[in-house]
Amino acid sequence: MNNISGPGRRSAMASVDFYRRVPKDLTEATSLGAFMSICAVTVMAILFFSETLAFARTNMGTSIALDENDQPQIRLNFNITLMDLHCDFVSVDVWDTLGTNRQNVTKNIEKWQLDESGQRRIFSGRNREQREVVHEEHEETLEELHEDGEQAVELDPSNFAAFLEEHEMAFIDMYAPWCIWCQRLHPTWEKFAEEVHKLGMPIGVGKVNCVTHAQLCKDQKVMAFPTLRWYKNSEPIFPDYKMDRTVAALTGYAKRKLDMEQKYKDWETKNAGNPDKERMRPNAGGSRAEHPGCQVSGHLMVNRVPGNFHIEAKSVNHNLNAAMTNLTH
């Protein structure tokens, strides 16, 4: 057996040395090396100054490109999430230079109500035209209706909680004096309160001025005026009332709420302690969790001309509360 040792072994080890010495002839200065170094430094300096000057100067340029597509319209897809705006108040509008002005576009647009984490919770359906509610006209003025006293109780932070505790069921109008829809509702709301008193309905009817008591309405998350909200055992019942604003419609709504509550109480009395009847429990008109978030998605067919589309917060039956309107998306 032959063993590798001595100079041969050192030569094998030296072949894998990554840190070898540079030969002395490469470290000696030469005229050619100096010339090449001067050329390299000159070129780098020129490049540095030329790039700096090009960066510091700006030029305006215009170019025109012709679209080869001969279709008169293009499809515009979008998917926008608004975390703090109810779907009822979201409108999709389109404008262009040809004079197109389409407000609240309904075709090919869907809305989803979102939960607190931004996840889809309830399908709000296709975007649809907002129905104008019916308002009732009255011969008497509000002052004439108040001559024998106000039946709709004026609420403020000092008596709001006590009013809800006093009345198991309460129906409250949260309004702003400058709101035109609120002004039209005032006589109707007073007549509705008189009708409730006349019929002996166990309902507290109140109203809150959201300009004077802005913090109270903010705490109640009032997003639009007027907001007509039903309360049960001091808790708000969602969704808010959005039907016709007539005495008959408001009275009918209150009666249905009372009927549902009475059916629920009768059922509980009759079936107390009977678990087999639990699945047959009637709906007591309880509140469903409601978060004012909306996802708007779909597509628009727009003219192939300069224009834009807007996601706008508006309603044909309400004035939005600017302090509570958030279009962040």
Side-chain angles (χ1 to χ4, degrees), residues 153-323:
V153 181
E154 190 73 42
L155 302 175
D156 56 47
S158 66
N159 63 357
F160 185 80
F163 181 81
L164 295 181
E165 291 178 2
E166 181 183 351
H167 300 88
E168 181 184 2
M169 302 288 181
F171 203 9
I172 298 178
D173 170 24
M174 300 181 187
Y175 69 94
W178 51 260
C179 166
I180 185 62
W181 308 113
C182 302
Q183 295 170 15
R184 296 182 66 179
L185 177 64
H186 283 330
T188 301
W189 194 253
E190 182 62 25
K191 278 202 167 186
F192 164 66
E194 293 177 354
E195 186 70 11
V196 167
H197 179 73
K198 177 182 176 182
L199 297 175
M201 300 171 69
I203 300 172
V205 180
K207 55 186 178 181
V208 178
N209 185 331
C210 289
V211 173
T212 305
H213 311 297
Q215 186 58 47
L216 174 59
C217 292
K218 185 176 181 180
D219 294 340
Q220 296 298 314
K221 296 181 172 57
V222 176
M223 300 188 67
F225 305 122
T227 291
L228 305 180
R229 184 166 295 169
W230 188 269
Y231 286 82
K232 174 185 174 183
N233 296 326
S234 300
E235 294 295 328
I237 303 299
F238 296 107
D240 293 329
Y241 178 83
K242 295 186 176 73
M243 303 304 290
D244 291 339
R245 296 168 187 164
T246 65
V247 175
L250 293 168
T251 304
Y253 175 78
K255 286 180 177 179
R256 290 192 298 273
K257 285 289 189 180
L258 293 176
D259 288 344
M260 285 191 295
E261 182 64 21
Q262 188 59 48
K263 288 180 180 178
Y264 179 77
K265 289 181 178 179
D266 292 345
W267 183 91
E268 280 199 325
T269 302
K270 182 179 178 181
N271 299 283
N274 188 348
D276 295 335
K277 298 288 186 178
E278 184 65 25
R279 63 183 182 85
M280 299 177 63
R281 179 191 297 268
N283 183 1
S287 176
R288 70 167 188 249
E290 183 163 299
H291 177 76
C294 186
Q295 183 184 66
V296 189
S297 61
H299 70 270
L300 298 169
M301 300 303 296
V302 298
N303 295 323
R304 195 179 290 275
V305 296
N308 54 68
F309 86 97
H310 294 178
I311 302 294
E312 188 174 357
K314 64 181 180 181
S315 171
V316 299
N317 301 308
H318 301 80
N319 286 117
L320 296 189
N321 183 0

